[in-house]
Amino acid sequence: MAKASGTNNQSQSAVGEPYFCEECKRNHTKGKIYKEHLNFAKFESVEDKVVDDNIEISDLVSNDDSISKEEEALSYEVEEIEDVDKVIDEDDLDEEVDEDDLDEEIDEDDLDDELENYTDDANACVEAVKKLPGVGEATLKKLIKAGFSSLESIAYTPPTIIQKESGLGDKTIEKLIKASMEKLGIGFKSAEVVWEHRKNIARITSGSQELDNLFGGGIETGCVIEFFGEFRTGKTQLAHQLCVNVQLPKEAGGLNGSALYIDTEGTFRPERIIQMAEGHDLDHKKVLKNIVFGRAYNSDHQVMLVKEATNLIKEKNIKLIIVDSLIGHFRSEYIGRGTLANRQQTINGHLHDLLRLTDIFPDLCVVVTNQVQSKPDVFYGNPTVAAGGNIVAHGSTIRVYLRKGKGEQRVAKMIDAPHLPDGEAVFSITENGIID
Ligand code: GTP
Ligand code: MG
């Protein structure tokens, strides 16, 4: 509960203003990222909580504070050791990440442990990075620690971000990006090659044939899909259903993969996953185990969780990332016109982090949900628009508007897609999940 109240305190202050952070029990400045918040930005397996700890599901979901006591204790331990009042300031970071200094900070055992968890596929990616010209042991460690463990992650990330996160020098990064792009053959290609790629694009079934048809045969990978609509229109239900369906075999409309769920509103419900798994005759324990869950307590946590997700994608065979919801924290934390530019800039960076993941991992699907805000000046037609404005509209590849129908029915309307016609689909939310 303490974590959630920190968010509230933060929400009352504008960017640049001090606020009392309940999580750290210290004064912070709104809009800055704090080192100690990294302690809260952690993922956990849903199954670990439900099965291993023998916690009743109802306990789990009624307890908003999903950070375990051990984690909390750990965060206090870290507080004692570090000077946690120190804000991660860009200038400080530049000084801090003098390459030799960083070498000392990186614990070799840590890195070996990390690599041990990698799948063969992920290790092959690391091997490719290792073979780039000029990549020695120290550079490789810095890259992996910062989440750049594949050629794609280096090639598609702006140099300034690689520098900020890895601490490597400008020239080294420039060379690494150039070499990665050459190895990946990034440049112009014929439309035929692009078509070959698109023909084989992987899709996840939504559970409803009509809704799948609206998407041209299922929710496609390699892009960011936004579901927006009013409350109770089924955004969270769809997000849950996709976490189950992504685990189905390919012939059943899945991707044989795992899901990563970033919950910003505290509305993730393992019992709904169990019901939906049962709808497919799946072992719900296995289904829960294959969902990596992270609760974002404020917008800083949310941004950090996405950054942290990069390393988990290969390791855990993640094929679907959910952010439910994308804008909620930003809306409540950045209040007033004066904060608008700052808010939009942060959301833009966050969306680009998500989009970049789909470039790096083309068989990954990113689904975000979004609330609507009322447009009081509209008298005819739909008086609601998606929150987040043009930044979110242009950041999402496919946008679908959800509204309530009769009873269990919901209507999905294709608002924007580069290759799909406008259209509508009706689906139902039932106990066992989404159906026609
Ligand atoms: P906000 O997050 O408030 O913006 O709404 P949302 O769009 O995320 O709504 P959500 O996906 O949580 O949908 C909630 C609705 O799903 C409920 O009002 C019910 O209509 C339906 N629903 C949830 N669980 C069940 C269930 O077990 N059986 C049935 N039949 N419907 C359910
Ligand atoms: Mg919801």
Side-chain angles (χ1 to χ4, degrees), residues 195-372:
W195 170 232
E196 274 310 312
H197 168 72
R198 282 210 54 85
K199 261 198 312 196
N200 299 321
I201 218 148
R203 292 168 187 278
I204 310 168
T205 179
S206 63
S208 151
Q209 187 68 49
E210 261 206 53
L211 191 53
D212 286 356
N213 291 344
L214 188 71
F215 279 89
I219 317 292
E220 71 180 61
T221 52
C223 63
V224 174
I225 292 159
E226 177 195 349
F227 287 105
F228 70 99
E230 282 181 63
F231 64 98
R232 292 180 60 211
T233 47
K235 304 180 293 290
T236 300
Q237 297 301 310
L238 261 168
H240 280 62
Q241 186 71 62
L242 290 171
C243 286
V244 175
N245 292 5
V246 72
Q247 301 185 35
L248 293 168
K250 290 199 171 147
E251 52 282 11
L255 298 176
N256 251 327
S258 304
L260 186 144
Y261 199 110
I262 298 176
D263 181 11
T264 73
E265 300 184 328
T267 51
F268 178 76
R269 293 290 178 272
E271 60 267 55
R272 279 301 279 149
I273 297 289
I274 293 172
Q275 286 172 330
M276 288 169 178
E278 281 166 359
H280 282 292
D281 288 329
L282 295 172
D283 174 357
H284 69 252
K285 282 193 184 175
K286 276 194 193 154
V287 173
L288 288 170
K289 196 173 184 171
N290 289 332
I291 301 173
V292 183
F293 174 78
R295 171 82 162 93
Y297 290 92
N298 59 43
S299 62
D300 290 344
H301 295 168
Q302 188 178 329
V303 170
M304 275 183 246
L305 283 171
V306 168
K307 290 193 188 293
E308 221 173 85
T310 320
N311 271 342
L312 288 172
I313 292 170
K314 285 274 178 197
E315 187 189 319
K316 305 262 184 201
N317 188 29
I318 306 282
K319 296 286 162 89
L320 170 73
I321 293 185
I322 302 278
V323 183
D324 183 28
S325 71
L326 184 73
I327 304 294
H329 283 316
F330 293 94
R331 269 178 103 179
S332 64
E333 290 169 24
Y334 293 79
I335 297 166
R337 284 256 150 209
T339 66
L340 193 64
N342 201 324
R343 178 182 94 166
Q344 294 306 83
Q345 199 183 353
T346 316
I347 295 174
N348 192 22
H350 184 47
L351 256 171
H352 274 84
D353 285 345
L354 289 166
L355 273 168
R356 202 173 310 114
L357 286 180
T358 65
D359 284 332
I360 299 170
F361 307 100
D363 55 354
L364 175 77
C365 176
V366 174
V367 170
V368 300
T369 69
N370 195 358
Q371 297 141 336
V372 289

